[in-house]
């Protein structure tokens, strides 16, 4: 889908459909000749403007557009960028099935803010996306939207800039979703590294991939333990963004993403039901790779380095066993009581490596635990930290990007749960508080660097299609990462 910005008068747009986002209480006054028809639609009771309501009027009076599509965002006072992004997604997905090829969105009235402009473009790109690259008939009979125009006749320069930012963010998020959708037989750790390299070359990022030999030399015994059962070699992908000037206040942000290209559980094997979903166990890495693309294009003023440990967690005669003890890069020994708790075993080595490379602040994103889904469902990402000030900064970035994140506890005495009789740490903490013990395990390696851990197991993918987004990966975390990189000025 081509995306473009236009200051033309809305009446002159000759598109298949013009989308207008409307509130629940009363018909909008757009100042257009078709206002009366819209008011009639509200009065008829057919359309209420509730979130996810969509209505289409044909041949709207006074417009060059063939149709006007009203997409509801609910109560006006509750409107935020998340609601607007979804409302646009609902309209785009609805219109796709109604033979519209060229569509536009009217940004007018009090919707005219830079963050709304970005949200509209993001919503359109995210909504239009289909995970169909491996279908022989990709469109499944349904045609795609060819062109999306953001029509903002009275836009400021800030709004036009926000349009470009939204386009980069939406496209980068779709890159993450593409990576996550690839099945594990295609997207092996090696292939993930190749795709990251290709992306890096396109946007002039520095890319380096540590191979198995290099990791052994360095002493990443924990990461290598997980990888042992697979015939696919592991890779540690490192993507570097360096700003033109010196970093603000000496900050160097490290983004770390869990890249388990398939998680069978290993010898502590998972049940068969839903095991296919474990191709998504690299969504953290996908988010980091997508974020690094956006960062390279948008150019914040601090250095940012992305680290994606990529492995396949498999069962075989060479696989790590329950009871095995591995030694991490930072020297701690770990008793592996459950081989399915593998994410923390690859992230710890990446977190240590990131600190060795000079990162002053760390954020990791990982589909780490089923327990976080029990705690928060699919609506909130769990956020854990060893530093309140840094957590507040990350949560503020998330809020401004409409990514819901909920702070979770990490009291010192959770350490008890991770005691091992034979090693410095166990890799699991028993039945209770599973998301917290997983996070606490990582904290042992992140300390003393300010660090935030995002458990995205519940938010990284939709188990079913949503009216505003296709089934599968969401690209969660990416917008927060990018916003965070811009929070130091
Ligand atoms: N990748 C899984 C976590 C997961 C579960 C992600 C469901 C998405 C949806 C992770 O590696 C895992 O298996 N965790 C175990 C940890 C347990 C063995 C302590 C879990 O959550 O059951
Ligand atoms: Zn696992
Ligand atoms: Zn996993």
């Amino acid at each position: 889908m081509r995306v473009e910005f236009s200051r033309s008068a809305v009446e002159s747009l000759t598109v298949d459909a013009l989308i207008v986002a409307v509130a629940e209480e009363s018909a909008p006054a757009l100042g257009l000749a078709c206002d009366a028809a819209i008011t009639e639609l509200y009065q008829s009771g057919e359309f209420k403007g509730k979130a996810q309501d969509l209505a289409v009027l044909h041949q709207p009076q006074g417009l060059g557009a063939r149709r006007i599509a009203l997409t509801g965002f609910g109560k006006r006072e509750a409107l935020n960028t998340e609601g607007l992004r979804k409302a646009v997604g609902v309209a785009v997905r609805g219109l796709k099935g109604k033979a519209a090829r060229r569509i536009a969105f009217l940004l007018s009235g009090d919707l005219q803010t830079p963050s709304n402009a970005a949200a509209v473009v993001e919503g359109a790109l995210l909504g239009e996306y289909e995970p169909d690259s491996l279908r022989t008939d990709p469109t499944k009979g349904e045609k795609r939207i060819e062109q999306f125009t953001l029509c903002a006749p009275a836009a400021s320069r800030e709004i036009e800039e926000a349009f470009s930012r939204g386009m980069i963010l939406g496209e980068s998020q779709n890159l993450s979703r593409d990576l996550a959708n690839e099945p594990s037989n295609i997207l092996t750790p090696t292939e993930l590294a190749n795709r990251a390299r290709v992306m890096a070359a396109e946007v002039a990022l520095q890319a380096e991939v540590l191979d198995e030999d290099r990791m052994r030399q360095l002493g990443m015994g924990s990461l290598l333990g997980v990888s042992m059962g697979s015939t696919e070699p592991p890779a540690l992908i490192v993507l570097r963004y360096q700003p033109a000037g010196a970093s603000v206040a000496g900050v160097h942000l490290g983004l770390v993403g869990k890249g388990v290209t398939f998680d069978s559980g290993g010898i502590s094997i998972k049940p068969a039901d839903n095991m296919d979903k474990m191709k998504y166990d690299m969504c953290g890495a996908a988010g980091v790779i997508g974020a690094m693309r956006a960062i390279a294009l948008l150019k914040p003023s601090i250095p940012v380095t992305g680290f994606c440990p990529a492995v396949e967690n498999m069962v075989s005669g060479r696989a790590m066993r329950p009871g095995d003890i591995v030694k991490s890069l930072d020297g701690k020994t770990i008793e592996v009581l459950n081989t399915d708790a593998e994410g923390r075993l690859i992230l710890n080595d990446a977190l240590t490596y990131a600190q060795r490379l000079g990162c002053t602040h760390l954020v990791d994103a990982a589909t780490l635990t089923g327990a976080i889904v029990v705690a928060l469902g699919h609506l909130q990402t769990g956020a854990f930290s060893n530093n309140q000030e840094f957590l507040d900064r990350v949560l503020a970035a998330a809020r401004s990007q409409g990514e819901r994140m909920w702070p979770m506890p990490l009291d010192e005495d959770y350490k008890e749960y991770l005691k091992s009789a034979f090693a410095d740490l166990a890799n699991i903490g028993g039945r209770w508080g599973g998301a917290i013990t997983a996070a606490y395990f990582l904290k042992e390696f992140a300390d003393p660097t300010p660090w935030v851990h995002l458990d995205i197991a519940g938010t990284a993918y939709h188990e079913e299609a949503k009216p505003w987004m296709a089934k599968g990966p969401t690209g969660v975390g990416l917008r927060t990462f990018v916003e965070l990189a811009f929070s130091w000025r």
Side-chain angles (χ1 to χ4, degrees):
M1 180 173 76
R2 287 191 309 281
V3 180
E4 58 165 47
F5 181 84
S6 168
R7 282 179 203 278
S8 312
V10 61
E11 290 86 350
S12 68
L13 284 179
T14 54
V15 288
D16 295 325
L18 174 72
I19 305 165
V20 182
V22 294
E24 193 174 319
E25 303 79 47
S26 55
L30 302 170
L32 300 173
C34 59
D35 276 5
I38 295 174
T39 304
E40 171 55 28
L41 189 70
Y42 270 76
Q43 281 170 356
S44 72
E46 180 184 327
F47 176 82
K48 296 194 170 66
K50 290 198 160 128
Q52 290 164 51
D53 276 358
L54 182 68
V56 179
L57 292 175
H58 288 250
Q59 296 187 320
Q61 211 188 343
L63 289 182
R66 292 171 62 190
R67 285 172 275 182
I68 189 160
L70 304 175
T71 188
F73 58 71
K75 300 229 185 311
R76 178 162 293 276
E77 61 276 12
L79 178 70
N80 53 27
T81 56
E82 185 182 3
L84 187 58
R85 202 177 285 109
K86 281 185 183 166
V88 174
V90 168
V92 167
R93 293 188 76 72
L95 289 167
K96 226 170 21 171
K98 296 185 199 301
R101 299 292 157 262
R102 294 171 62 234
I103 62 177
F105 181 95
L106 175 61
L107 192 73
S108 66
D110 55 4
L111 285 184
Q112 296 178 89
T113 66
S115 50
N116 282 345
V120 167
V121 182
E122 290 156 14
L125 284 162
L126 298 175
E128 208 275 338
Y129 177 90
E130 292 295 339
D132 60 2
S133 66
L134 294 176
R135 282 186 191 278
T136 321
D137 170 17
T139 54
K140 225 173 56 174
E142 247 183 63
K143 291 274 171 44
R144 306 285 293 261
I145 304 276
E146 287 160 13
Q147 185 175 313
F148 179 86
T149 305
L150 180 70
C151 174
S156 60
R157 197 169 48 82
E158 286 75 19
I159 287 183
E160 193 166 353
E161 280 167 11
F163 161 84
S164 307
R165 195 170 67 236
M167 191 161 104
I168 290 170
L169 288 170
E171 286 173 354
S172 300
Q173 214 169 315
N174 284 346
L175 165 70
S176 296
R177 294 166 80 194
D178 268 338
L179 292 172
N181 268 317
E182 291 284 34
S184 309
N185 61 327
I186 295 177
L187 199 97
T188 59
T190 306
E191 181 60 14
L192 183 62
N194 288 343
R195 305 255 179 131
R197 275 203 201 93
V198 169
M199 180 282 288
E202 280 167 9
V203 299
L205 278 177
Q206 220 193 86
E208 191 191 347
V209 179
L210 279 64
D211 65 9
E212 191 168 353
D213 287 344
R214 181 77 188 117
M215 290 190 258
R216 192 165 297 117
Q217 267 173 13
L218 287 165
M220 297 185 171
S222 184
L223 189 160
L224 291 171
V226 177
S227 166
M228 233 162 45
S230 175
T231 49
E232 292 295 336
L236 175 56
I237 305 160
V238 182
L239 299 168
R240 286 196 183 85
Y241 163 77
Q242 191 66 44
S247 172
V248 187
V251 171
H252 178 177
L253 178 62
L255 303 174
V256 181
K258 172 176 174 182
V260 176
T261 61
F262 187 72
D263 182 10
S264 71
I267 299 287
S268 316
I269 197 165
K270 287 183 179 296
D273 271 3
N274 280 316
M275 208 202 268
D276 59 299
K277 301 289 185 309
M278 286 301 113
K279 70 170 184 170
Y280 297 140
D281 212 19
M282 38 61 73
C283 280
V288 167
I289 292 168
M292 291 308 296
R293 174 186 186 270
I295 284 168
L297 295 170
L298 293 169
K299 304 192 190 322
S301 53
I302 57 159
V304 185
T305 307
F307 301 86
C308 300
V311 301
E312 194 182 43
N313 188 22
M314 297 294 271
V315 199
S316 81
R318 284 165 42 106
M320 185 168 70
R321 294 146 288 246
D324 281 4
I325 296 180
V326 295
K327 189 166 186 172
S328 64
L329 175 60
D330 93 334
K332 288 192 195 41
T333 54
I334 303 160
E335 187 184 11
V336 180
L337 291 175
N338 189 316
T339 63
D340 197 11
E342 85 297 342
R344 61 199 80 177
L345 294 175
I346 66 170
L347 290 166
N348 63 344
D349 279 345
L351 287 167
T352 303
Y353 190 66
Q355 291 171 85
R356 294 213 180 152
L357 257 56
C359 290
T360 62
H361 294 72
L362 294 168
V363 184
D364 78 71
T367 46
L368 203 63
T369 66
I372 199 67
V373 197
V374 174
L376 299 176
H378 295 287
L379 300 180
Q380 297 262 12
T381 292
F384 302 78
S385 179
N386 60 358
N387 183 301
Q388 187 64 43
E389 195 184 329
F390 187 44
L391 176 63
D392 289 343
R393 187 184 277 267
V394 173
L395 292 179
R399 204 172 308 118
S400 85
Q401 289 299 321
E403 294 198 312
R404 280 183 272 175
M405 297 187 182
W406 198 257
M408 298 285 291
L410 264 191
D411 308 70
E412 289 294 332
D413 33 358
Y414 281 110
K415 185 164 183 180
E416 296 286 306
Y417 290 44
L418 291 169
K419 273 217 285 245
S420 157
F422 307 106
D424 299 337
L425 277 172
N427 81 325
I428 55 168
R431 184 162 160 74
W432 308 113
I436 304 172
T437 48
Y440 200 98
F441 181 93
L442 296 178
K443 172 179 136 59
E444 287 285 304
F445 298 85
D447 279 340
T449 304
W451 152 85
V452 171
H453 157 60
L454 303 175
D455 194 335
I456 57 170
T459 50
Y461 57 93
H462 292 306
E463 283 168 4
E464 291 305 331
K466 298 286 176 188
W468 60 91
M469 217 191 235
K471 174 176 176 162
T474 59
V476 74
L478 185 151
R479 295 199 309 273
T480 297
F481 293 153
V482 178
E483 181 72 20
L484 177 66
F486 278 91
S487 74
W488 288 275
R489 288 173 195 281

